[in-house]
Amino acid sequence: MTAPSPATDPLPLADAADGRGHYTRTILEGALGSVLMFFGSLGVGWLASVSVLRRWPLLIWLRLEPAGVIVSVLLLAIGGMLLVRSWLRLGQQFTAWGPEARRATLAAIAAWGAPLALSIPLFSRDVYAYIAQGKVMVNNLNPYVEGYDQLQNYLQTGADDMWARSPTPYGPIFLWLEEFVVWFTGGHPEFAIILFRLLALAGVVMCIYYGPKLAELHGINPNRALWLTCANPLFLTTFIASIHNDALMLGLALGGLYYAATKRPLLGIVLVTLSVGIKPITLIFLPFIGLLWAGRGAGWRRKFAFWALTAGLSLGMLAVLGVINGLGFGWIGALSTQGAGLFIWYAPVGLLGMILYVITDALGFEGGVVQDLVYDAGKVAAVLVVLVMMFRGGYDRIVRRLALALAAVVFLAPMIQPWYVVWLLPLFAATGIRNDWQVRTVYAITSFLMIYAISDQLDIFPYIAIDLNAARLLAGLTAVGFALYLVFLDPKTRRLFRKKYMDPADRRLF
């Protein structure tokens, strides 16, 4: 693949030189932020009701005493936003992203990720759903038909009751991993969490390895791409602290994309299919893998042939996996029931649907019908964007087209979770994020979603003086206050957001 226009990235690989800057302090500040988040997780991270950790004296005080909860919330909020500041500052340390920048970024990822790898699960309790679904598998139930509410005392697993009656949306590979973890640990929550976190870390390592390699293929500085993606606090918190299986899904998909782009399409298809076996959303990679396989200058007949061959190989592998586990393609039906009717206020389509629902309902019409039409229109628009990206564009921009297609699927949905945005980071970073409104958009979205995560899912015991809403308000006000400081007062970071504070050396990049 040839490099895109140099305007795509002001620091192309050919111009990379040793980075300059005193970054050690920045890395240590970020590590302090992660350590604060670790201690905050002891008080407001998610624990199963049967967890032995609930009997530790320190955790009893942090979780059952109002003062302990307040301390935990403040530590989490301050630590999370300090991590955001450190990430921004690390990006300011280098005017050229050479070998020194690579070493600094890898050191930052290790120093910032290590405390999060030891934390109690933060911002999500999906890992407990993994344990519950593993128990469903161990009990020889069909997870594509029956939810984990079929388990005796399923609430003790720590999984969210919202999804208890829903079939699993995960592919056959992850079902086997869930089953193995539960079998190996006997369903012990702490031991199971350790294994699931190791799986997530394996995905993180693959992202660290393959993301920069994809950037090099496009003539983009791999070290800057690594900083934008894997040192990003949203990446670290959702993949390491929250233990989402998206880490493994994304790592495999990036590996498959890299091998397909370097003339090893069969290996690429295998890895992407394994990724689909974790979460089927990466099916969207397959038509773009087919285009890479078809090669430069391929005509439509050749493109359709390689699309068919790619789909046949991948779906054939999935069919074999379905025969082995006896569940077939049950995940297709399960996907159609996942998240039906759900929306979130900051998703553009979700917000529009909610506003029209309120208006039409107040006028005496069927607000729910209008809301569903808006959500369906978003899905149709996303499909159209994917098709346009498949059929239009040059060979050198295939990965960028994939990034845009996946972005359409994410941003035109009524529900956008923070980790969905992380799917996009390595694809856009590898194909070029300019030092102008593009990188500022990354800064803004990362900061916003970190604030949202910090103030959203907190494990607050319901029978103490400070309730969940009060804890969320405290976390949100603390995080927003820190963010306002970064944008308007901090002499170092405010120039990233506001041109009038830029140094002349920075201004030329915008």
Side-chain angles (χ1 to χ4, degrees):
M1 299 180 70
T2 60
S5 167
T8 302
D9 191 332
L11 299 171
L13 182 63
D15 296 332
D18 283 345
R20 295 290 180 260
H22 301 289
Y23 51 78
T24 302
R25 178 177 175 179
T26 299
I27 294 174
L28 292 176
E29 288 175 350
L32 174 61
S34 291
V35 169
L36 293 179
M37 292 183 72
F38 163 76
F39 282 109
S41 79
L42 300 181
V44 294
W46 289 100
L47 279 178
S49 62
V50 296
S51 173
V52 296
L53 298 180
R54 289 187 179 274
R55 297 196 287 272
W56 288 15
L58 175 60
L59 268 67
I60 290 174
W61 181 78
L62 289 172
R63 290 178 170 269
L64 301 183
E65 293 295 331
V69 172
I70 290 172
V71 168
S72 300
V73 168
L74 290 175
L75 289 175
L76 181 65
I78 294 171
M81 296 311 294
L82 183 56
L83 192 58
V84 172
R85 183 185 187 276
S86 301
W87 172 65
L88 295 172
R89 288 290 295 129
L90 185 64
Q92 291 179 305
Q93 301 295 316
F94 301 98
T95 56
W97 292 78
E100 187 176 347
R102 169 64 70 95
R103 289 191 292 270
T105 304
L106 290 174
I109 293 170
W112 301 349
L116 299 178
L118 300 175
S119 69
I120 291 172
L122 285 168
F123 307 147
S124 172
R125 45 180 154 165
D126 280 5
V127 68
Y128 294 106
Y130 305 160
I131 297 172
Q133 289 159 1
K135 291 182 177 181
V136 169
M137 289 288 291
V138 167
N139 283 278
N140 295 315
L141 300 173
N142 186 340
Y144 294 135
V145 176
E146 298 166 296
Y148 49 76
D149 64 329
Q150 300 299 308
L151 302 173
Q152 191 173 29
N153 299 322
Y154 72 90
L155 289 175
Q156 293 183 358
T157 64
D160 194 336
D161 189 44
M162 177 185 294
W163 308 110
R165 284 153 288 281
S166 300
T168 179
Y170 305 132
I173 300 294
F174 197 68
L175 290 182
W176 279 327
L177 292 174
E178 289 176 328
E179 183 178 18
F180 171 78
V181 168
V182 169
W183 168 81
F184 187 77
T185 64
H188 188 286
E190 278 69 50
F191 294 152
I193 284 171
I194 291 172
L195 291 186
F196 279 120
R197 187 161 264 153
L198 289 175
L199 291 173
L201 288 172
V204 167
V205 170
M206 284 189 280
C207 291
I208 292 171
Y209 182 75
Y210 289 113
K213 284 185 170 293
L214 281 170
E216 286 182 303
L217 290 180
H218 291 82
I220 300 300
N221 189 297
N223 305 325
R224 182 172 179 268
L226 182 66
W227 163 72
L228 280 168
T229 301
C230 299
N232 189 298
L234 199 60
F235 177 95
L236 295 172
T237 53
T238 57
F239 281 3
I240 299 178
S242 300
I243 325 180
H244 284 295
N245 61 358
D246 302 63
L248 190 57
M249 173 203 80
L250 184 61
L252 289 167
L254 292 177
L257 190 61
Y258 171 74
Y259 289 119
T262 52
K263 309 303 181 184
R264 287 168 282 183
L266 294 180
L267 179 56
I269 291 170
V270 169
L271 289 181
V272 171
T273 303
L274 291 176
S275 174
V276 172
I278 304 295
K279 290 186 77 170
I281 184 64
T282 48
L283 281 168
I284 197 173
F285 278 63
L286 291 177
F288 299 93
I289 296 286
L291 289 173
L292 290 169
W293 194 1
R296 187 185 305 277
W300 287 113
R301 180 178 297 178
R302 180 176 174 85
K303 288 178 181 178
F304 275 100
F306 279 93
W307 276 335
L309 188 56
T310 300
L313 290 171
S314 182
L315 294 178
M317 289 175 58
L318 292 170
V320 171
L321 296 177
V323 170
I324 293 173
N325 66 15
L327 302 176
F329 283 93
W331 48 270
I332 296 177
L335 283 177
S336 64
T337 64
Q338 279 293 316
L342 293 179
F343 68 94
I344 199 162
W345 62 270
Y346 61 75
V349 171
L351 180 61
L352 178 62
M354 179 178 64
I355 292 173
L356 292 179
Y357 170 84
V358 172
I359 293 173
T360 54
D361 202 54
L363 294 175
F365 298 101
E366 290 291 336
V369 173
V370 174
Q371 188 179 37
D372 289 341
L373 287 174
V374 171
Y375 296 166
D376 290 341
K379 295 173 185 176
V380 170
V383 171
L384 290 176
V385 172
V386 172
L387 290 174
V388 170
M389 291 300 106
M390 285 173 56
F391 284 91
R392 294 183 62 85
Y395 180 83
D396 294 328
R397 292 183 60 82
I398 289 176
V399 176
R400 187 68 164 201
R401 288 154 56 191
L402 168 59
L404 292 170
L406 188 57
V409 172
V410 171
F411 287 110
L412 292 174
M415 171 64 73
I416 301 174
Q417 297 286 14
W419 50 96
Y420 297 177
V421 176
V422 177
W423 303 343
L424 308 176
L425 284 174
L427 297 175
F428 279 103
T431 52
I433 295 176
R434 294 195 306 264
N435 256 339
D436 53 16
W437 65 268
Q438 293 185 357
V439 79
R440 280 182 285 178
T441 299
V442 176
Y443 296 158
I445 291 176
T446 297
S447 301
F448 169 77
L449 290 176
M450 282 294 293
I451 293 169
Y452 178 80
I454 286 167
S455 58
D456 180 36
Q457 292 205 33
L458 304 173
D459 188 7
I460 306 294
F461 189 64
Y463 305 112
I464 57 176
I466 179 172
D467 64 11
L468 177 59
N469 289 330
R472 284 175 171 170
L473 181 61
L474 176 61
L477 289 175
T478 304
V480 168
F482 202 125
L484 292 175
Y485 167 74
L486 294 179
V487 174
F488 294 102
L489 298 177
D490 190 317
K492 298 295 185 181
T493 59
R494 66 183 180 182
R495 56 196 175 101
L496 293 173
F497 297 93
R498 308 177 69 199
K499 284 187 177 181
K500 71 176 184 177
Y501 292 116
M502 291 179 192
D503 290 339
D506 294 322
R507 192 182 298 275
R508 64 179 172 80
L509 296 177
F510 285 84

